[in-house]
Amino acid sequence: MTRIQEVLLKLETSYLGTPYYISGNALYSALARRLSEETKRHLQVSAGMFVPGEHGGFPDAHSQSGGVSFFGTGLRPVERYDDLFVFRDMAQRWLSDTRPRDAHNTHPLQEFSTTAGYAPTRSFGRPPEKRITKRTVSWYVHCYVHLDEPTGQTTFPFPACMFDGLRLGGARNYGFGLMECVETRCVDLSDLAYDRLETADAYQLELLTPYVTASEYPDADDQSIPWWWDGEGDLRTRSSTLARGDDIYPLETVDHGQVVGYAGSDPIQTAKNGLLRVGTHSQLGFGEFRLRPAEDDRVPDRQRTQAAEPTSKPHASPGGHR
């Protein structure tokens, strides 16, 4: 039995940092201050993904279907493995096409003297003939935590109050990055349905967070690319850093967002491992991935667009007229 705790936080004040995600290192550091020494040694934290509190609908691979008002403002049902990723896709494909989804998925920029930050809400104007001429979209953060083994000092799942009042990002001492816990939920990975993976003949693996191959963090080992990644020769790499207090440690990573084949023999267990993350610094959110049937297109709109396009151009008439 492996349990993870989903957490949805609401951004209450302006945020200084990257506009799409909050690093697992930042979440870990904020939570660790509230835990005992023993518990924080076993704490495992994912990266936090920004989610707009907007209308939307369940993606095709989800166990549920249909649209939901204010889809991004609460946790959604989890019955199937694919359900866990509805808010973990930075494209937020659940956003409704009936509204400007690209604008909704863009964090509003704010300027503070010489520093740029992001507002906790974004306002959209409505036609003057409407009764309400403005609507406001708030921003949320989706993450999950687990313990790699039980501890005798802490009950898991953690109470919601433990996530209230976390401060993340830069300038925290000046009131930036305040989070309020909206909802938490415990999910047992053994209880999920993996039917789409069980019936697939081949698989592809999408890296959702960077995978660390080399680290200068004390006592961290270099990590080779897993043998069960098929096609790693073309992977894009990126240099990054890990901050711990005033010290900055360089990292070499395989960048997130890349897709490779899967050459292993146990896709269900591999899928579970991807939720718990693999490799060096997995405790801090690195190495999260999603396994998909190879016939899936991770951009469903692309399939629909291609299906709607004509298969061949109209033939010209013998006289040169169409």
Side-chain angles (χ1 to χ4, degrees):
M1 181 175 67
T2 303
R3 297 185 299 166
I4 62 174
Q5 184 176 11
E6 273 194 296
V7 183
L8 191 68
L9 307 172
K10 184 181 180 184
L11 182 61
E12 293 290 335
T13 59
S14 300
Y15 169 78
L16 300 185
T18 59
Y20 295 110
Y21 69 93
I22 294 176
S23 72
N25 181 42
L27 284 164
Y28 178 92
S29 299
L31 286 171
R33 298 188 186 100
R34 303 181 174 191
L35 297 172
S36 67
E37 287 295 324
E38 180 191 4
T39 303
K40 71 183 183 183
R41 280 199 301 273
H42 297 291
L43 178 66
Q44 306 270 321
V45 178
S46 77
M49 304 297 185
F50 276 112
V51 179
E54 180 47 32
H55 297 286
F58 292 101
D60 292 343
H62 203 283
S63 61
Q64 313 292 314
S65 61
V68 177
S69 298
F70 301 105
F71 191 95
T73 62
L75 295 177
R76 297 301 158 194
V78 175
E79 299 177 4
R80 178 187 288 175
Y81 166 71
D82 298 285
D83 297 350
L84 282 169
F85 298 100
V86 61
F87 290 144
R88 311 284 304 159
D89 179 358
M90 291 186 186
Q92 305 296 352
R93 292 187 171 87
W94 54 267
L95 280 166
S96 173
D97 290 332
T98 61
R99 292 185 172 184
R101 52 165 293 125
D102 290 344
H104 285 135
N105 200 25
T106 303
H107 216 132
L109 186 65
Q110 284 184 315
E111 291 188 5
F112 302 94
S113 183
T114 59
T115 302
Y118 301 97
T121 60
R122 185 187 190 97
S123 296
F124 291 85
R126 302 188 70 197
E129 65 271 20
K130 299 290 185 181
R131 183 174 62 88
I132 300 175
T133 57
K134 185 178 75 172
R135 60 186 179 84
T136 301
V137 175
S138 298
W139 281 85
Y140 296 78
V141 174
H142 177 272
C143 62
Y144 58 91
V145 302
H146 71 279
L147 299 176
D148 62 355
E149 63 179 69
T151 72
Q153 301 179 19
T154 302
T155 301
F156 187 83
F158 300 123
C161 61
M162 203 190 82
F163 302 96
D164 255 336
L166 293 179
R167 290 185 182 274
L168 304 168
R172 297 182 297 279
N173 292 339
Y174 295 92
F176 286 76
L178 175 64
M179 303 282 171
E180 173 195 358
C181 181
V182 177
E183 190 176 3
T184 79
R185 173 179 51 207
C186 196
V187 177
D188 190 336
L189 302 186
S190 302
D191 292 340
L192 298 180
Y194 297 85
D195 48 328
R196 287 190 349 111
L197 295 180
E198 289 169 345
T199 57
D201 296 323
Y203 307 89
Q204 59 180 204
L205 184 152
E206 179 186 0
L207 197 58
L208 301 183
T209 58
Y211 174 83
V212 177
T213 53
S215 170
E216 295 189 14
Y217 190 76
D219 302 325
D221 297 325
D222 292 350
Q223 187 82 35
S224 60
I225 293 174
W227 64 267
W228 35 271
W229 291 17
D230 189 12
E232 69 273 17
D234 297 328
L235 289 176
R236 181 180 68 249
T237 60
R238 181 186 294 269
S239 296
S240 185
T241 57
L242 176 64
R244 187 52 60 92
D246 294 332
D247 298 319
I248 304 294
Y249 302 98
L251 303 176
E252 292 297 326
T253 70
V254 176
D255 209 1
H256 72 281
Q258 298 176 93
V259 177
V260 299
Y262 172 66
S265 58
D266 190 349
I268 306 302
Q269 187 58 48
T270 301
K272 295 177 183 177
N273 293 343
L275 288 165
L276 305 180
R277 299 171 301 280
V278 298
T280 301
H281 303 321
S282 60
Q283 182 181 37
L284 304 177
F286 292 95
E288 177 185 349
F289 63 84
R290 176 180 182 176
L291 208 63
R292 300 172 183 271
E295 63 270 21
D296 264 13
D297 191 323
R298 67 190 184 102
V299 186
D301 289 346
R302 180 166 51 198
Q303 283 185 322
R304 285 191 282 269
T305 301
Q306 290 173 344
E309 291 177 347
T311 55
S312 60
K313 294 181 178 178
H315 294 290
S317 68
H321 302 291
R322 293 182 178 179

